Amino acid sequence: QILDLALPHDSLNIIEPILRSIKTEGYTTPTPIQEQAIPIVLEGKDLLGCAQTGTGKTAAFAIPILQLLVQRQTHATRREKRTIKALILTPTRELAIQIGESFAAYGRHTGLKHTVIFGGVKQLRQTDSLQNGVDILIATPGRLIDLMAQRFVSLKHLEIFVLDEADRMLDMGFVHDVRRIIAVIPPQRQSLFFSATMPPEIVKLADTILVKPEKVEVTPVSSTVDIIQQSVFFVDKDNKNALLLHILEDKSIETALVFTRTKHGADKVVKVLLRHEIK
C-alpha cells in the first residue's frame, strides 16, 4: 500500500533505511496521495491535503517527515537531548495510536524516537517518555495543552506541524484548542493540513496555518462485499428520522448500525429512538 519498490530508486527519493522498513511491512504499490504528497513534503513545502481515512494518508506524511528529520541530523544533534521537531495533532486517541504505530513501523531503522499522548489515561508513562526526549510527538489537543501547561512539552524547536482530520476536529469542538496550539508553535515551520471535507470554516483555518501550500486531493478506493445488498432512499432532512423508524420496524433486523455526520447529530438520533422505545 505504500511504495512501488520496482520503481526507479530515485523516483520518490526515499532513503534506504525507510525503504527497508517499507519492504518489511510488505507494501508494494503507492496510493495516489502518497505519490503526490511525498515529493511535496520532501521539498519542504506546505501541503493542503483533501483526503479521507483509507487513502494511505498517514504514510504520505509519516515517511517524508522521518526522512527530513534523519537528513537534518548532525553528529552534534545526535549527542544532544532530543527535542520535539515534528508534531502531529489528531482528534482521537485511536487515530493517535494508529499514527504512532505507523511511525514505529516506517522509522524502525532511522534511530528517531516518537511518543503518543492522549487523554483518558494517567499521564505518568507519557510524561516519562517526554522527559527522556523525543523527536516526534503525536497528540490529541486536550492532553497536549494540559502537558504544555505543566511544562512537560516544549514546542520551541518545532520544524514540522501536521493537523490531521481537521474537519473532525471541528465537529468534536477542538478548533479553539487547535488555535491555542498554533499560537505557540514557531511561525517558521513546515505545515501539513489534512481534511476529508473543506467547508468554509476548514478553509479559513487552513489559511491561518499554511503558507503558499501545494494542494493534493484524492478520494478513497471503496469496495463492498458481494453479499451486501445496498439501497438508497432519497428523503428530505425533516423525514429522515421517520424513515429510520419505519425501516427499523422490520422484525428481521436484530441489530443495526446508524452513521451520522456529527456527535450532535448522533445525540439527536438517539433521543428519537429512545422516544420510540428502541434501545
Side-chain angles (χ1 to χ4, degrees):
Q1 189 183 334
I2 308 299
L3 302 178
D4 186 347
L5 301 176
L7 290 170
H9 73 277
D10 59 349
S11 59
L12 287 172
N13 295 316
I14 304 301
I15 57 176
E16 190 278 334
I18 299 174
L19 278 177
R20 206 174 352 137
S21 299
I22 292 163
K23 193 170 184 179
T24 303
E25 292 298 305
Y27 297 134
T28 54
T29 307
T31 67
I33 194 168
Q34 291 158 11
E35 283 189 302
Q36 295 175 61
I38 288 173
I40 292 168
V41 181
L42 288 176
E43 288 174 16
K45 295 177 180 176
D46 283 11
L47 174 70
L48 176 60
C50 190
Q52 297 178 355
T53 298
T55 56
K57 160 171 58 81
T58 300
F61 64 75
I63 288 170
I65 286 173
L66 287 162
Q67 177 153 325
L68 288 172
L69 296 185
V70 167
Q71 291 172 331
R72 291 169 187 173
Q73 279 186 331
T74 64
H75 289 296
T77 58
R78 288 191 195 106
R79 289 194 302 269
E80 294 169 359
K81 183 181 176 181
R82 297 171 190 266
T83 56
I84 298 165
K85 304 209 175 44
L87 168 65
I88 294 85
L89 202 59
T90 193
T92 68
R93 163 187 179 157
E94 292 76 19
L95 273 169
I97 291 169
Q98 288 174 23
I99 293 169
E101 289 169 349
S102 295
F103 271 95
Y106 312 141
R108 61 165 61 92
H109 302 303
T110 63
L112 295 168
K113 288 183 67 177
H114 75 278
T115 199
V116 182
I117 63 173
F118 47 81
V121 296
K122 292 181 180 179
Q123 69 178 43
L124 182 60
R125 184 177 294 181
Q126 297 175 7
T127 55
D128 283 349
S129 179
L130 289 165
Q131 288 182 308
N132 289 330
V134 296
D135 304 290
I136 300 157
L137 178 63
I138 301 111
T140 54
R143 177 54 60 95
L144 177 58
I145 288 175
D146 187 18
L147 295 186
M148 286 168 63
Q150 296 178 56
R151 300 185 182 275
F152 284 114
V153 175
S154 170
L155 300 175
K156 65 182 180 181
H157 299 289
L158 195 73
E159 299 172 12
I160 304 169
F161 172 62
V162 181
L163 185 65
D164 192 27
E165 305 269 354
D167 47 356
R168 286 183 69 183
M169 292 278 194
L170 189 73
D171 286 343
M172 296 173 72
F174 285 139
V175 170
H176 295 302
D177 287 344
V178 171
R179 289 202 174 102
R180 284 176 63 187
I181 292 161
I182 293 164
V184 300
I185 61 178
Q188 298 300 317
R189 64 177 190 268
Q190 181 179 7
S191 299
L192 316 176
F193 186 105
F194 293 95
S195 185
T197 59
M198 287 289 167
E201 306 99 305
I202 293 297
V203 173
K204 188 176 177 182
L205 181 63
D207 287 343
T208 67
I209 295 172
L210 304 171
V211 178
K212 296 180 181 175
E214 298 276 337
K215 187 171 183 182
V216 173
E217 190 166 359
V218 297
T219 53
V221 178
S222 59
S223 61
T224 307
V225 179
D226 291 338
I227 61 169
I228 294 178
Q229 296 180 336
Q230 299 186 75
S231 305
V232 177
F233 297 88
F234 294 94
V235 60
D236 59 83
K237 189 174 180 180
D238 290 342
N239 284 307
K240 282 201 291 187
N241 286 327
L243 175 60
L244 176 62
L245 292 167
H246 174 69
I247 290 168
L248 293 177
E249 287 174 3
D250 183 345
K251 299 301 181 187
S252 67
I253 299 173
E254 295 181 5
T255 58
L257 180 60
V258 180
F259 286 97
T260 65
R261 192 172 63 85
T262 64
K263 287 173 68 177
H264 179 62
D267 289 339
K268 291 203 295 187
V269 170
V270 167
K271 287 174 183 174
V272 169
L273 295 176
L274 289 175
R275 275 205 308 273
H276 289 82
E277 298 182 343
I278 297 171
K279 292 182 181 178

